[in-house]
Structure formats: structure tokens, C-alpha cells
Amino acid sequence: DQQVKQNSPSLSVQEGRISILNCDYTNSMFDYFLWYKKYPAEGPTFLISISSIKDKNEDGRFTVFLNKSAKHLSLHIVPSQPGDSAVYFCAAAGGATGFQKLVFGTGTRLLVSP
Amino acid sequence: DGGITQSPKYLFRKEGQNVTLSCEQNLNHDAMYWYRQDPGQGLRLIYYSQIVNDFQKGDIAEGYSVSREKKESFPLTVTSAQKNPTAFYLCASRPGLAFRDTQYFGPGTRLTVL
């Protein structure tokens, strides 16, 4: 039972354009969401988070949008840079799993070409 | 430097042997976690520990064991009972158990069973 889904395994974008990565969740009890970025053979690094009381959170080039009614969140990267090429995981917490555990999606591989 | 270290980076073992993966953190974090990542899949939780001398099973604990004798250390043993041990293993820690405490990841250990 995949509670957090990233339906696009890969995304290709040109440098300078916007990258939009999507994530859907099924558990309505989730109320905290995170995005992590991962390079090959390295651990994920925390990027940005959002709690369910907000619908948008911005940090520099990265913005996360949350649509609770649709159980959907997205990560926007503007402008995209070649160094952004990595796998992006969304994760969720809350509800029965509490805040001790994160439930991860399967990841989206972003390729930003010069 | 504060951080999470995992050793070794690459590990090979023969089928039927137990192997222990090391995870150390000097961040004074209370909670620690073990995940595995397989190609095309998200991060799946193996075990986690919220406090010294206590740990809980995650979603895929079968064939694994852990200990938490010290706050800074959370070793994972992959036993011969684990049917598909070849994977990338990630250790993470979290400052506490509060809402919005972020998990920080180590660099990972790639285990290959020959």
C-alpha cells in the first residue's frame, strides 16, 4: 500500500526553466510534508518542508505547494540549474505513524540540461 | 564537524554470513533510523530508535537486528535470514521527537551479497 506516490519516475528540463515535481498521498492524516534531494551513492539531503496549516512555503529557488483537498503537493524549482539534477523524494508524516516516522515516495529523477 | 558517518561505503559479503553496518552521529540527536533503498523504490524503514536502549521495528524489519547502547551509535546487523540483502542502506538521525524535527541522513553503505 503506497501511501505516498510520485508517479513520474523522471523529468527533463532545460536550464533556466521551471521544474515541477509532483507527489500524491492517500492518508488524510498526514500533516507534515518534506522534500529531500539525493545524488547517486549519497544520503538524501533535506530541501524544504510544509505543514498542513499552510498551502505554500518558499525557500530561495524552491517552493512547495500543498493542496490538501486533492492530497497533492508539488515542488517548484525556478530557475532550474544543472546542479539540481538528482533524485527528489517527497515524504510525509503524521497520523498513525506519528512524527517519528517518515513515509517516502519512490522518487523522481530530475535532469536539468544546459 | 558534526554529522552522521556510515562505514564502510561499500561492503561485500558471502551469502549466509551476517554483517554489521556502522552508524555514528555526533549531533546529539535522540532518534536514529535505518532505511534501505532499492532501485526504483523509495526509502523503506527497517528499524528506528527514539532513545537509548529502545528501538522499534519499521516496515521491513525481518532479517535485520539493531542495538542502541549509546546515544551516538545505532549499528544494523543484516542476518543470513534476510532474503534480499543487496541494497543501499541509509542511516538517519533526528534531534528529538517534536513535530517538524527533520531527519538528517548519512552517506549510506552499499551492501552486495555475492
Side-chain angles (χ1 to χ4, degrees):
Chain A
D1 176 26
Q2 191 73 26
Q3 296 187 73
V4 178
K5 301 176 185 179
Q6 294 177 256
N7 292 318
S8 298
S10 63
L11 175 68
S12 292
V13 170
Q14 281 195 317
E15 182 178 7
R17 305 293 291 268
I18 184 171
S19 295
I20 300 176
L21 294 95
N22 294 305
C23 180
D24 297 295
Y25 61 96
T26 58
N27 188 339
S28 58
M29 299 299 289
F30 287 146
D31 53 12
Y32 188 56
F33 305 89
L34 306 89
W35 284 93
Y36 282 85
K37 173 181 178 180
K38 184 181 180 302
Y39 293 116
E42 293 184 11
T45 54
F46 169 72
L47 206 51
I48 193 169
S49 63
I50 188 168
S51 72
S52 59
I53 61 172
K54 294 185 174 182
D55 54 18
K56 176 183 174 181
N57 188 27
E58 249 180 295
D59 184 3
R61 296 186 297 114
F62 303 91
T63 303
V64 56
F65 294 92
L66 176 62
N67 182 334
K68 289 185 289 295
S69 61
K71 296 191 184 68
H72 177 83
L73 65 154
S74 60
L75 174 68
H76 292 209
I77 306 173
V78 184
S80 301
Q81 300 173 353
D84 296 329
S85 298
V87 177
Y88 290 78
F89 291 98
C90 67
T97 62
F99 303 113
Q100 296 87 352
K101 295 164 60 176
L102 293 177
V103 180
F104 283 86
T106 53
T108 296
R109 183 177 303 277
L110 173 65
L111 177 62
V112 180
S113 53
Chain B
D1 278 7
I4 304 170
T5 57
Q6 291 186 243
S7 60
K9 182 76 171 172
Y10 299 95
L11 189 56
F12 298 87
R13 79 147 212 230
K14 293 182 180 178
E15 197 170 346
Q17 290 180 337
N18 292 355
V19 62
T20 297
L21 282 60
S22 167
C23 178
E24 304 278 331
Q25 54 99 359
N26 60 3
L27 300 167
N28 200 34
H29 287 178
D30 287 320
M32 297 186 74
Y33 304 78
W34 275 105
Y35 294 87
R36 71 176 271 170
Q37 184 192 10
D38 296 281
Q41 298 199 38
L43 281 64
R44 293 185 291 166
L45 183 64
I46 304 172
Y47 268 98
Y48 66 104
S49 167
Q50 300 177 40
I51 196 169
V52 174
N53 293 323
D54 186 50
F55 47 83
Q56 287 79 40
K57 292 182 179 180
D59 301 317
I60 54 166
E62 186 176 350
Y64 299 98
S65 66
V66 293
S67 63
R68 186 90 187 273
E69 297 176 1
K70 298 185 295 183
K71 187 175 185 178
E72 59 270 23
S73 179
F74 190 42
L76 172 75
T77 297
V78 184
T79 75
S80 56
Q82 168 50 233
K83 294 178 182 175
N84 296 296
T86 295
F88 189 53
Y89 289 88
L90 287 158
C91 177
S93 69
R94 187 165 179 256
L97 306 178
F99 179 48
R100 298 194 186 92
D101 274 348
T102 301
Q103 287 188 28
Y104 297 91
F105 285 83
T109 292
R110 179 163 298 282
L111 172 65
T112 302
V113 175
L114 305 171

